[in-house]
Amino acid sequence: MLGRVADRDSDLTAPAPAPTAEQLLTLVGAGDREAFGDLYDQTAPRVFGLVRRLVVDPAQAEEVTQDVYLEIWQTAPRFDASRGNALAWMFTLAHRRAVDRIRASQAARDRDLRIGVRDLDVPVDTVAEAVEIRVEHERVVDALGGLSELQRECVSLAYYGGLTQSEIADRLDVPLGTVKTRLRDGMIRLRTALGVTT
């Protein structure tokens, strides 16, 4: 009989089982701050672990985890245990927050890069650039010299004068087909003379 009394006494002193995350989340939804602290203690290492795997920077991972728990506190009344367990719901919030942080960080880096490139003064060797332009100009003049007078006239009106083929035909008083032929033949000879491959 003493054995049965001892067993009954040990049942009275046994600690109550810890509430589940679902139970705690339901209490948090009702505004229970103590339940929120217990929920945090029970789940924070796992939530932080998920966030840390996604957000490499530890300081940012801590900030994201804080944001996640703030969102949990604010949105706990919307948790529906019939649609899934509490940890899965919390992991979903954590994953979304982490991805948002990654995207925001990437956008900031891209913006900073664009601004940095825009503001970067690249030194220009004006002497070398002027020499290169002059050499190219001389090559074009030499190549134009290799065209017939009629081809050179059409090419000059088109590229230096900015005239269309119809305007060239009107100005030279020749058929449009003739202008097109002179321009085509002239451009073929120019490409060959300048070594341009298409």
Side-chain angles (χ1 to χ4, degrees):
M1 177 148 179
L2 288 176
R4 280 190 239 148
V5 172
D7 288 340
R8 192 178 60 207
D9 288 343
S10 66
D11 288 341
L12 295 176
T13 59
T20 65
E22 288 76 15
Q23 293 167 333
L24 290 171
L25 199 50
T26 303
L27 292 171
V28 170
D32 187 332
R33 291 176 185 267
E34 188 175 327
F36 181 73
D38 292 341
L39 180 68
Y40 180 86
D41 291 341
Q42 190 180 99
T43 60
R46 294 181 69 188
V47 171
F48 178 72
L50 170 67
V51 172
R52 182 71 171 85
R53 280 193 302 274
L54 296 170
V55 180
V56 179
D57 179 28
Q60 284 196 29
E62 289 173 6
E63 286 179 23
V64 169
T65 303
Q66 264 186 330
D67 292 343
V68 168
Y69 278 95
L70 178 61
E71 186 174 358
I72 289 168
W73 173 256
Q74 294 170 340
T75 61
R78 288 190 254 161
F79 170 70
D80 182 2
S82 66
R83 297 180 65 195
N85 70 32
L87 204 53
W89 183 75
M90 294 169 68
F91 278 174
T92 301
L93 295 179
H95 186 267
R96 286 182 188 154
R97 284 281 177 168
V99 169
D100 287 348
R101 177 62 64 99
I102 292 166
R103 287 181 180 152
S105 295
Q106 184 62 46
R109 279 193 299 275
D110 292 347
R111 183 182 59 247
D112 290 346
L113 181 62
R114 280 193 310 272
I115 290 170
V117 167
R118 183 192 66 202
D119 294 344
L120 179 66
D121 287 332
V122 178
V124 177
D125 186 351
T126 54
V127 173
E129 191 174 335
V131 169
E132 188 176 330
I133 290 170
R134 173 168 267 156
V135 168
E136 284 298 315
H137 177 72
E138 289 172 2
R139 285 186 66 213
V140 171
V141 169
D142 289 344
L144 282 170
L147 300 179
S148 71
E149 182 62 35
L150 297 173
Q151 290 171 342
R152 186 172 37 254
E153 183 179 38
C154 284
V155 169
S156 294
L157 287 171
Y159 290 96
Y160 294 120
L163 301 179
T164 65
Q165 293 175 347
S166 299
E167 292 170 336
I168 294 169
D170 289 343
R171 181 176 284 189
L172 298 179
D173 197 28
V174 295
L176 179 60
T178 303
V179 170
K180 289 181 178 185
T181 302
R182 289 177 186 172
L183 280 172
R184 186 194 71 229
D185 293 346
M187 292 307 296
I188 290 171
R189 289 180 72 178
L190 280 175
R191 281 191 205 105
T192 303
L194 294 171
V196 176
T197 58
T198 56

